[in-house]
Structures are given as structure tokens and as C-alpha cells.
Amino acid sequence: MRQRAESGYFGPFGGRYVPETLIHALEELEESYERYRNDPEFVEELDALARDFVGRPTPLMLASRLTRRWGGANVWFKREDLAHTGAHKINNTLGQILLADRMGKRRIIAETGAGQHGVATATVAALYGKECVVYMGEEDTRRQRLNVVRMRLLGAEVVPVRTGSRTLKDAVNEAIRDWVTNVEDTHYIIGSVVGPAPYPRIVRDFQTVIGREIEAQARERFGGDPDAIVACVGAGSNAIGAFHPFVGREGVRLVGVEAAGRGLESGEHGASLAEGRLGVLHGAKSYVLQTPDGQIREAHSISAGLDYPATGPEHAYLKEEGLAEYASVTDEEALEGFTLCSKLEGILPALESAHAVYHAEKVARELGPGRNLVVCLSGRGDKDVEVAAEALGVGPEVSGGR
């Protein structure tokens, strides 16, 4: 698999399907990554920032009340929600800003859905004194107003995208247009394991810190590998980061959870691994939601981070080879996971992570008592409070008190 990844492909998935004007920038990025990824100064700078700026390692926490309620395996949370900026997205943006700085790029652009990648990009751009522009679907700017404000406070320009479904797919389209126009002085920090090679491999490598920490912490806390790891999958960066050190390892189930939205049968979902077909989107070949005549189908999820009509090419490869399993969870079920996690563990999870929490019950029961299951809490739910409150009918009214 390593050779395929380094060639830009994961089996038949991946590749580089882009305009000629971007080839030089992708080659420059690839050369820079190969030059610096094992360079002692680069590694030392990244490790120091991860420790002192991000707060790594993030904890591995026993979710004791969920464990008791479900009566199955011990449920552990990998607390990426406690990383600086509130999500795993900071791991990748830090690595990429170091590369951009070494390539001499003065301007940073990004796309964002739930806003967490946008906030992480704005954060590292501020840290390194770079001009920053973030493209965001207009619908997502409404759903994630708090993160729009955070990005602006960090000095970024947030550009609402008013084309298509006005969500993540359309934000990526606009970011690519910007990059084609300004490629000489601009680096595009892609936020997940998608896009043309070498992005899926670079993003995966920067996110693999999650899996490496799970490996070390699991040995310390319960003396061996986890029996399963469960993570949500939109494009899939937190899941790939958590899975990667364990791919092909005997006895470790890797379970990705997609957004079934209003139900797979409704057609309104983001489950490209379950319902997609082989196609090309945003420069790479993967499973893509398509209409019968091959047009890109709009995705839907209550979670702004999961309504993307494709998934990362490495996830498509893992599914195809039987190296990971994939399930899907509806909006309603994700809200149940959100509520359970909030009330039983005192943690408001991101709605993305709530998909993984809900499905973890099934995996925990299948594993049974005495086994260990890790759920990657990819982000915190502050950004989703308005969406969840509206969906659950929870308001700020009080009826009195003591």
C-alpha cells in the first residue's frame, strides 16, 4: 500500500486530475514534503508546536457511564476535541503551514464546511503571519456562525460561496479557482484526505499522530491494542489518522461511520462509500455520489462536516480491500448520540463525532465485556449547539429554579 500511496494512488483510487496550471504547484508541494518530512529541524518544530501550541498528546478517556449503559466493551474516547481550536483539524494545518512557510508562500487559502478546518487554518496563518482567505458555503456560514466569527477575529477573510448547494463541495470549487489564479504565491491548505496527489497522503501523515497516540496510550491503559476503533467519515481525515497505524493489524476492527442523513433510501445523505460510484471529484478518483447520468449529486447531513459527496481515496481502498468496515448513521440517530454523550459523559461532541458515538453502541455490544473500543471524538460541539438545539427543540427558556 505504501508504494501505491507514494505513486499518488491507493489501488485504483486517488491520482491527480487537475488543470495543467496546478501541476507545478503540486510537484513543488510533493518535493517540499519529501525534503522536509524527515528533516530534524522540521520535525522538531512540528513536535514543539504540537506539544506547546496544540496541547498534545490529547487524552484517552474511559467513558464509564456509556460503558455501563451499553453493557459491552469498555468505551474509550480519544479526545481530539481538547486540541487547540477544538478539533483534529489543527494537526494537519500546522504541518502544512510549516511546508508553506518553507516554500515561501505569503498567502494561504482554504475551504471549510463545519468551520473547524477554517478556524485551524486561520489560526496557523496568524501564527506564521500569512494572509488568509477561507471559502465557505453560504449555508454553512449560517449553520456555523460562531466559527465564522472566530475566523474573522483571527484575521482571516471569510468568503461565502453562493453557488450549488452552498456547502462544502462548492467551497472547494471556489478555493480551487482561487488557487489556479494565484498559484505562484498561494498555498492551498486542503482540510481532509481528498484532492489531487500528494494531498491525501500528506494530510493522512499529519493526522496519523492520532493513531500513534492511541497505540501508545492503549498499551499504557489496558496493555495492548484496542479491539476496535470507531470514527466518523465525511472526507475522512480523523478516521484515516486514527486507523493508519492499525491497518492490516490482526485483531483490530477499524470502523468508519458515514452520514446517512434522512436515510439512505431517501437519497438525501452523505454516504458515498455505501451509495457512491467510482468517479472523479476535486482532482482525485474515489467513490462519489452521482446521478444516473454521472452528475455529482448533492449530499446532505445535519453535520456540516459530513455533507460532502465523496470520500478520501484511501478510505475507498480500505473498503475495497476489506481492511476497514463502514456503516452509516442518520441525522436522528446522530442527535441521539449527541444527547447520550452530553448527558452521560458531560461532553458536547461535534455532530460529526456524534455519528461515531451512536454507532459505537453496536460495536461495543458485538465485542462484549472485557474488550476495549476507542471512539475518536474528532471535535467539540460548541459550533453545533444552535443546530442541535433547533433539531431537538431545546430553548434557553427557564421554568424557575431553586
Side-chain angles (χ1 to χ4, degrees), residues 61 63 65-66 69-70 77 79 81 334-350 353-354 357-358 375 377 379:
M61 168 197 155
R65 295 190 70 200
L66 280 176
R69 180 185 179 99
W70 292 340
F77 285 160
R79 299 291 309 275
D81 59 313
L335 285 167
E336 189 176 331
F338 179 90
T339 303
L340 266 180
C341 189
S342 302
K343 292 187 175 176
L344 292 188
E345 299 295 344
I347 299 169
L348 291 172
S353 312
V357 171
Y358 180 86
V375 180
L377 283 191

Side-chain angles (χ1 to χ4, degrees), residues 97-114:
I97 198 72
L98 264 61
L99 291 176
D101 199 52
R102 282 159 172 77
M103 289 188 291
K105 305 292 184 182
R106 67 163 188 85
R107 183 171 178 269
I108 299 298
I109 60 170
E111 86 297 327
T112 193

Side-chain angles (χ1 to χ4, degrees), residues 88-136:
H88 70 292
K89 296 293 187 183
I90 191 71
N91 305 323
N92 166 53
T93 55
L94 266 183
Q96 288 205 49
I97 198 72
L98 264 61
L99 291 176
D101 199 52
R102 282 159 172 77
M103 289 188 291
K105 305 292 184 182
R106 67 163 188 85
R107 183 171 178 269
I108 299 298
I109 60 170
E111 86 297 327
T112 193
Q116 292 301 93
H117 174 59
V119 169
T121 301
T123 297
V124 299
L127 186 66
Y128 277 79
K130 308 289 186 186
E131 179 184 342
C132 182
V133 179
V134 179
Y135 291 91
M136 190 171 189

Side-chain angles (χ1 to χ4, degrees), residues 297-351:
R297 214 171 76 196
E298 302 294 351
H300 163 79
S301 171
I302 192 171
S303 164
L306 299 184
D307 61 356
Y308 184 67
T311 194
E314 191 166 2
H315 280 295
Y317 175 75
L318 295 180
K319 180 191 176 187
E320 196 76 11
E321 294 295 313
L323 294 167
E325 56 189 280
Y326 294 89
S328 56
V329 160
T330 65
D331 291 347
E332 189 176 344
E333 291 167 336
L335 285 167
E336 189 176 331
F338 179 90
T339 303
L340 266 180
C341 189
S342 302
K343 292 187 175 176
L344 292 188
E345 299 295 344
I347 299 169
L348 291 172
L351 281 172

Side-chain angles (χ1 to χ4, degrees), residues 10 14 101 151 158 184 273 308:
F10 304 87
D101 199 52
M151 285 183 270
V158 181
E184 289 303 320
L273 285 163
Y308 184 67

